[in-house]
Amino acid sequence: QHCMAALECTARELSNEPRLTLGQIINRHAGDLGIPRPLDGALESAWGYASEVGRDLREGREPTSDETELLLGLCATVIRYLLQRNR
């Protein structure tokens, strides 16, 4: 969940939309930020996954280290891409 929040904060800074959610930014600014389709939808799905597994933990459901590393790697790569693309 925290790595997705870092991605959201990066998107907020780059889009100059400090109050929007990641989903709203993707819907309004994906093209401007350089997020191509269908990657935009994949990022929204990743947010939903992180929210369900990482924040709104269901009883008896904890993310595995593999799942955590997957999201961390995804977010780190997308953040780096966005920063390089929007210098």
Side-chain angles (χ1 to χ4, degrees):
Q1 174 215 355
H2 294 291
C3 60
M4 290 301 295
L7 175 55
E8 182 176 64
C9 289
T10 302
R12 284 176 174 171
E13 282 292 317
L14 294 174
S15 67
N16 293 314
E17 296 278 12
R19 300 201 191 288
L20 297 184
T21 65
L22 180 61
Q24 292 169 326
I25 292 168
I26 289 171
N27 287 331
R28 293 182 189 181
H29 301 288
D32 298 334
L33 294 174
I35 302 171
R37 289 185 177 185
L39 182 56
D40 57 351
L43 291 176
E44 288 185 278
S45 294
W47 175 266
Y49 175 80
S51 179
E52 180 179 322
V53 175
R55 182 179 56 191
D56 303 328
L57 289 174
R58 294 180 182 183
E59 189 172 322
R61 174 70 171 105
E62 289 188 34
T64 66
S65 61
D66 291 340
E67 291 169 322
T68 303
E69 286 182 41
L70 174 63
L71 275 181
L72 180 59
L74 173 70
C75 290
T77 301
V78 173
I79 289 169
R80 184 170 187 257
Y81 168 79
L82 289 175
L83 291 173
Q84 287 179 330
R85 175 79 190 233
N86 295 280
R87 290 183 181 171

